[in-house]
Amino acid sequence: MPVKTHRLSFSNYFRSLICLAGLALLTFSCDKNVVYKAHEDVEDGLWYIRNKPSFKVEITDTLARYNLYYLVRNTLQYPYYNLYLTRNFTGPDQKPISKTLEEVYLSNEVTGKPFGHGLGDLFDHKIPFLKNYQFKRSGTYTIELSQSMRQNPLPFIMSVGISVEKVENQPAP
């Protein structure tokens, strides 16, 4: 019985190459405004109150406006629809800018359907916490996050982080 082989014709090869290039361009162009993006894995998916990931963001453009986001990854087994986060925001001079307790939503309270983007039982969330924010001076800003739920450790949180992105098409001052 002869073995059937498939040959990739030049047109199919070219089409595949174009699709791959387009996908790569789309992937890289999505992050063109990202100034900083980092996350910290939560060991064993158990987020203890004492575990306070800290992120250092270098800002050089003080004329630009920025959107800041929480990045949270959880599993479907996460037992709550919400998450209370405490955010300590410190300026380049080490003086506190703000300390904020916020409630963010990871799934629909009634249906339990997760928000964010999922693959398998993991869901990634990008939740805005400051919009059109203008940093007062250049330097390194520190954002420290901690969980403020009543359960310690908080299970099924796999990672937390932040993203800082320049706002596109900023209005003239």
Side-chain angles (χ1 to χ4, degrees):
M1 179 177 208
V3 177
K4 193 173 191 180
T5 60
H6 293 282
R7 288 199 160 176
L8 192 59
S9 70
F10 179 74
S11 63
N12 285 342
Y13 175 76
F14 187 69
R15 196 172 316 145
S16 298
L17 191 60
I18 293 293
C19 288
L20 189 60
L23 183 61
L25 183 63
L26 182 63
T27 301
F28 292 117
S29 67
C30 291
D31 287 340
K32 70 179 180 176
N33 295 326
V34 174
V35 173
Y36 178 87
K37 185 176 185 179
H39 65 89
E40 186 174 306
D41 291 336
V42 176
E43 190 174 338
D44 298 325
L46 298 170
W47 192 5
Y48 288 88
I49 291 173
R50 70 177 180 268
N51 180 8
K52 299 178 180 183
S54 182
F55 306 95
K56 297 199 178 293
V57 181
E58 182 69 30
I59 297 296
T60 55
D61 185 355
T62 57
L63 298 177
R65 296 199 176 273
Y66 300 86
N67 291 330
L68 287 80
Y69 301 90
Y70 296 121
L71 304 175
V72 178
R73 176 177 283 170
N74 68 287
T75 68
L76 277 176
Q77 293 80 18
Y78 180 70
Y80 306 104
Y81 67 92
N82 62 349
L83 171 63
Y84 283 98
L85 292 172
T86 298
R87 177 184 74 241
N88 284 316
F89 191 20
T90 307
D93 56 1
Q94 305 307 312
K95 290 185 181 175
I97 295 172
S98 65
K99 182 174 184 175
T100 308
L101 172 67
E102 282 188 287
E103 180 181 22
V104 298
Y105 298 95
L106 303 180
S107 62
N108 183 292
E109 181 180 6
V110 176
T111 65
K113 182 179 179 189
F115 299 136
H117 299 285
L119 182 61
D121 73 336
L122 288 177
F123 282 84
D124 291 317
H125 307 272
K126 182 177 176 181
I127 305 160
F129 66 88
L130 288 174
K131 286 191 161 206
N132 290 312
Y133 185 79
Q134 189 169 12
F135 291 92
K136 304 288 185 224
R137 37 199 258 208
S138 61
T140 302
Y141 289 79
T142 303
I143 299 173
E144 180 185 80
L145 301 177
S146 60
Q147 67 99 343
S148 296
M149 299 290 282
R150 293 182 182 161
Q151 186 171 352
N152 187 35
L154 185 61
F156 304 109
I157 297 291
M158 306 313 288
S159 72
V160 293
I162 63 163
S163 181
V164 179
E165 303 173 13
K166 277 190 178 180
V167 175
E168 285 188 25
N169 303 326
Q170 300 180 32

